[in-house]
Amino acid sequence: MLAVSDTLVVNEIYLSLQGESTFAGLPCIFVRLTACDLRCSYCDTAYAFGEGTKRLLGEIRTEVNRLAAPFENVPSAEWGVRTGEKRPGNGLGRLPLVELTGGEPLLQKNTLPLMKGLCDGGFTVLLETSGAHDIAPVDPRVRRIMDLKCPGSGEAARNYWANLSHLRSTDEVKFVISTVEDYDWAKAQIAAHNLAGVCPLLFSWAHPLRAEQQHKSLKQMPAGQTPISRQELAERIIADALPVRFQVQLHKVIWAPDQRGV
């Protein structure tokens, strides 16, 4: 029986499509947790800094299973498996995916047992994390999508560099690029740490915030940086033959950029 302490503060839980990472486009249940100790200049989920409700871990798993129920025993061309089956070589389980995001999920210690329980339930579990906290305790079955904060975020000093030694081939490193200087910095980190030989690398263009999304607590972009357009970012990746995946936030292409629950 769960104790009252076996809880997490949750902002929202919903079913949508995965909008980023190498899993983009697949059905995904998002568990957005409350609180973050970073204030990146481009943050588009400032509403999760404080809004949330305390929920039991069992209650969260029940909600995830409810949202996943329509996918039970439905074959997938993408997966080639039915619920609970494993196909040699892909390491993937049932649809939909489940992603823990935030906020910063690793700020709450009970994120760890929740992810373990979801993995035990056969889900492919993704963790979106800022890269400012130790990823080593995370269940090895979880696909960790870890940011390296570029200078334009205003939070580059918070990168926890020891995490690089814990990365596996199933993880992904994301650079959110908002300026030319961010691009040059990210390219330098890939070379300095041989990241292309470790795991997939993501270059995510920083979608401009609407006025109502610009929370007063966000860091300012450092002075003197040159904004980069989506097209320029793509063209630089091609010109420099970088071994990275260019991505946009797919959900912002489909729905309004500030719409929640998608």
Side-chain angles (χ1 to χ4, degrees):
M1 184 174 182
L2 288 172
V4 175
S5 60
D6 293 328
T7 60
L8 285 166
V9 183
V10 179
N11 178 269
E12 56 185 347
I13 303 175
Y14 59 93
L15 172 66
S16 185
L17 297 179
Q18 174 58 232
E20 301 180 78
S21 80
T22 61
F23 296 91
L26 290 172
C28 183
I29 296 169
F30 293 87
V31 180
R32 186 179 304 283
L33 300 177
T34 301
C36 187
D37 54 343
L38 272 63
R39 292 294 183 268
C40 298
S41 62
Y42 46 72
C43 180
D44 58 358
T45 53
Y47 59 86
F49 290 166
E51 297 178 14
T53 303
K54 187 176 289 188
R55 302 181 68 170
L56 290 167
L57 300 189
E59 179 187 349
I60 296 169
R61 290 197 299 270
T62 296
E63 177 66 3
V64 168
N65 284 321
R66 183 188 71 81
L67 292 171
F71 293 85
E72 290 289 328
N73 299 315
V74 176
S76 166
E78 180 77 26
W79 252 238
V81 298
R82 290 182 180 271
T83 299
E85 295 180 344
K86 298 287 186 180
R87 183 172 62 190
N90 70 1
L92 298 174
R94 60 193 288 193
L95 280 175
L97 309 166
V98 180
E99 175 173 298
L100 275 72
T101 185
E104 170 49 65
L106 294 181
L107 281 178
Q108 300 190 59
K109 64 181 179 64
N110 281 333
T111 299
L112 299 177
L114 176 62
M115 289 189 289
K116 180 182 184 301
L118 292 169
C119 289
D120 289 345
F123 288 104
T124 296
V125 180
L126 316 180
L127 169 68
E128 280 270 3
T129 180
S130 66
H133 299 276
D134 187 5
I135 64 172
V138 175
D139 190 294
R141 295 170 292 179
V142 173
R143 310 298 183 100
R144 301 172 300 191
I145 303 168
M146 188 191 83
D147 279 21
L148 278 180
K149 297 298 184 186
C150 299
S153 69
E155 293 284 20
R158 295 295 304 277
N159 286 319
Y160 185 68
W161 292 100
N163 278 335
L164 297 185
S165 65
H166 299 298
L167 291 171
R168 299 183 299 266
S169 61
T170 52
D171 296 322
E172 303 181 15
V173 173
K174 180 173 70 175
F175 298 88
V176 178
I177 309 291
S178 53
T179 67
V180 172
E181 289 77 13
D182 284 351
Y183 176 85
D184 291 338
W185 184 89
K187 184 169 67 169
Q189 303 314 311
I190 291 170
H193 301 284
N194 190 31
L195 294 178
V198 177
C199 65
L201 305 176
L202 313 170
F203 271 26
S204 182
W205 181 66
H207 197 288
L209 297 178
R210 291 188 174 185
E212 59 270 23
Q213 293 178 288
Q214 294 173 344
H215 195 271
K216 63 182 180 181
S217 70
L218 300 184
K219 296 288 181 69
Q220 294 296 310
M221 183 183 296
Q225 296 213 6
T226 306
I228 192 169
S229 70
R230 182 168 44 195
Q231 179 177 329
E232 184 180 359
L233 175 55
E235 290 173 348
R236 282 176 176 257
I237 290 171
I238 295 168
D240 290 342
L242 288 187
V244 304
R245 180 185 295 261
F246 171 81
Q247 63 173 23
V248 294
Q249 293 173 294
L250 182 61
H251 53 287
K252 292 185 178 180
V253 177
I254 302 171
W255 294 282
D258 58 349
Q259 186 168 334
R260 300 190 191 185
V262 295

